[in-house]
Amino acid sequence: MTGTVSDPDALRQRALAALLAARERTSLLTTCVEEPELTAQHSPLMSPLVWDLAHIGNQEELWLLRAVAGRDAMRPEIDGLYDAFEHPRSERPSLPLLAPAEARRYAADVRGRALDVLQSTPFRGSPLTDAGFAFGMIAQHEQQHDETMLITHQLRSGPTALTAPDPAPAPSFKGPAEVLVPGGPFTMGTSAEPWALDNERPAHHRLVPPFFIDTTPVTNADYQRFLADGGYEEQRWWTPAGWDMVRGNQLSAPLFWRREGGQWLRRHFGTVEVVPPNEPVLHVSWHEADAYARWAGRRLPSEEEWEKAARHDPVSGRSMRYPWGDADPTPERANLGQRHLRPAPAGSYPAGESPLGVRQLIGDVWEWTSSDFLPYPGFSAFPYPEYSDVFFGGDYKVLRGGAFSVDEVACRGTFRNWDHPVRRQIFSGFRTARDAGPTEAV
């Protein structure tokens, strides 16, 4: 969906497809396990799956039925149970949550009514309905919780519950290890993308000095060299907070990895496998990414560097929606939407590379940046402060680019994710950067 789409019928069909795709994925993630698995808390970092299921329905009711259509609350007594700010995840299993069957009925009832609202709502007249924003916001919200539920599936113990084909094999990448991004101004953020969220707005100019960025994400083989060189035992590579995390938790490798029989193994959605050397490294915290970059004599890219590498066209000078242009993602361009349950080998998706030749900036793994999560100049909270505003200036680092776990509706060149620098359960990896020297900045 280009940022200039104005045809109400096309937008309505786009919103319908996005809502249906999200619900299909929600159903898959909540029907592939038995009821005890839905009500259990598989990690204190995550909600029970049944909480996410009812929360999805509750948010859809709040915004599409109440805010857009002006209807009375269907179940006002459950609003507090599914308010993400009222109850931390660790407390949610003790709440009187809807049972799985009741949660499914509630979400389905809301959805039926919401589709009626979609067909009757004019896509104009208010910021909430202009270009179908509220419907796009709800589709993104559901897909974000689907990603959260996928993380829970990775954390749960027991046999495999989810299956998907692996990405197509790719030949070993033979291109350059890094790409020069020329210095100069570019347009960061967006004021035109119809369903962009408040923290992506507004579009504004940034002046970025020349820098080099990795052509592909850091791989498992790359990271194993850091391990073999004693990376987790050398305090000099770590920030004080990162070193405290390593020592306090006795960390020696990415989450889910273990050393056995002279090789690195990992647990991956209920199975144990040899760590694939050519895949982007996964389940590393910001502290681990930062330490690796220091060890490699490099650094993490800033958020504006990452976005310039991903969106800037040096020929036209404009910022594109994606590295490959303005067209929507396709399976040939990016690994998105849980089509696979793993990243593709580094160097995959040549059709998705940027004009400068950087690959896999969209999909595969979320990429940590060096930047704190802060508002853009001219930021305005919409439609509620709790989406972004309350997180600005806290202990959060920005991640960019999405992952195999992210649907295209919730992933674009301007999309911003954020998390605490200690988080490892998310589908996070990284690539590194370095300043360009005076003789290199041509």
Side-chain angles (χ1 to χ4, degrees):
M1 179 176 63
T2 64
T4 57
V5 167
S6 58
D7 179 358
D9 290 335
L11 281 166
R12 206 178 306 278
Q13 288 303 310
R14 182 64 178 252
L16 175 62
L19 289 168
L20 294 178
R23 189 51 49 91
E24 182 179 1
R25 187 178 176 197
T26 299
S27 177
L28 170 66
L29 290 162
T30 56
T31 58
C32 63
V33 291
E34 299 297 326
E35 183 168 324
E37 297 273 14
L38 294 175
T39 56
Q41 186 174 46
H42 300 280
S43 165
L45 296 173
M46 311 303 291
S47 306
L49 292 169
V50 73
W51 186 92
D52 287 289
L53 174 60
H55 171 77
I56 286 167
N58 187 244
Q59 287 293 296
E60 189 164 327
E61 185 198 346
L62 285 170
W63 288 104
L64 301 188
L65 302 188
R66 300 188 208 175
V68 171
R71 299 185 182 182
D72 292 335
M74 294 170 56
R75 300 283 300 270
E77 75 281 2
I78 69 171
D79 285 354
L81 297 176
Y82 298 102
D83 185 332
F85 287 89
E86 191 167 327
H87 301 286
R89 288 173 174 174
S90 60
E91 294 180 2
R92 292 172 190 171
S94 64
L95 300 175
L97 302 177
L98 301 182
E102 189 176 7
R104 288 195 182 95
R105 285 194 297 270
Y106 169 64
D109 191 3
V110 171
R111 172 51 58 87
R113 301 181 193 206
L115 294 183
D116 290 340
V117 172
L118 172 63
Q119 296 307 315
S120 62
T121 300
F123 280 8
R124 63 184 186 279
S126 78
L128 200 57
T129 57
D130 285 349
F133 175 82
F135 300 92
M137 177 184 74
I138 287 301
Q140 291 178 80
H141 174 267
E142 182 162 355
Q143 287 285 4
Q144 287 168 333
H145 276 272
D146 289 340
E147 182 181 16
T148 298
M149 290 193 284
L150 188 64
I151 293 170
T152 301
H153 275 279
Q154 167 63 9
L155 287 164
R156 61 177 283 273
S157 59
T160 300
L162 295 167
T163 59
D166 287 342
S172 297
F173 180 66
K174 303 298 185 183
E178 61 180 6
V179 168
L180 172 65
V181 180
F186 88 107
T187 301
M188 186 173 186
T190 181
S191 297
E193 188 75 27
W195 294 350
L197 303 171
D198 61 0
N199 63 63
E200 300 171 66
R201 301 175 182 268
H204 59 287
H205 294 296
R206 293 283 179 100
L207 182 63
V208 179
F211 67 97
F212 284 89
I213 192 167
D214 290 341
T215 310
T216 68
V218 170
T219 67
N220 290 319
D222 296 330
Y223 203 82
Q224 286 177 31
R225 286 189 280 274
F226 174 56
L227 300 181
D229 198 39
Y232 282 72
E233 300 161 12
E234 289 279 355
Q235 184 176 356
R236 58 180 167 151
W237 306 129
W238 302 81
T239 64
W243 188 243
D244 287 346
M245 180 194 74
V246 168
R247 306 309 289 175
N249 296 281
Q250 298 182 320
L251 302 184
S252 59
L255 186 61
F256 306 118
W257 286 32
R258 72 172 190 263
R259 188 79 171 164
E260 186 175 300
Q263 61 184 350
W264 285 105
L265 307 178
R266 72 177 182 187
R267 182 167 60 83
H268 186 72
F269 291 107
T271 65
V272 175
E273 63 182 21
V274 176
V275 172
N278 292 329
E279 283 185 13
V281 67
L282 193 62
H283 296 301
V284 289
S285 66
W286 182 91
H287 290 303
E288 289 165 294
D290 178 69
Y292 172 95
R294 292 168 187 260
W295 169 82
R298 297 172 69 83
R299 57 178 175 79
L300 296 180
S302 67
E303 183 180 12
E304 54 262 41
E305 287 175 332
W306 188 97
E307 188 168 326
K308 185 169 186 180
R311 299 184 63 212
H312 181 66
D313 180 1
V315 175
S316 67
R318 74 179 187 92
S319 291
M320 305 179 297
R321 296 179 68 223
Y322 297 98
W324 55 83
D326 294 334
D328 290 337
T330 63
E332 294 74 35
R333 293 177 174 134
N335 181 7
L336 293 166
Q338 201 181 311
R339 288 190 298 268
H340 312 295
L341 287 172
R342 62 175 67 244
S348 297
Y349 305 107
E353 72 177 21
S354 75
L356 295 172
V358 187
R359 295 196 180 183
Q360 292 168 286
L361 285 159
I362 297 293
D364 286 305
V365 293
W366 284 109
E367 298 185 14
W368 288 108
T369 72
S370 64
S371 299
D372 297 331
F373 185 50
L374 297 170
Y376 289 159
F379 167 83
S380 179
F382 177 78
Y384 58 105
E386 290 79 11
Y387 183 75
S388 304
D389 200 16
V390 298
F391 298 101
F392 291 140
D395 179 34
Y396 298 98
K397 293 292 186 180
V398 174
L399 302 103
R400 288 302 206 105
F404 67 87
S405 53
V406 179
D407 187 78
E408 68 173 81
V409 76
C411 184
R412 49 196 161 264
T414 58
F415 193 92
R416 306 172 76 194
N417 189 11
W418 65 95
D419 213 328
H420 294 290
V422 298
R423 291 288 186 254
R424 310 201 310 155
Q425 83 277 14
I426 59 178
F427 299 112
S428 52
F430 64 100
R431 71 181 73 216
T432 67
R434 69 177 176 91
D435 298 341
T439 61
E440 297 174 307
V442 295

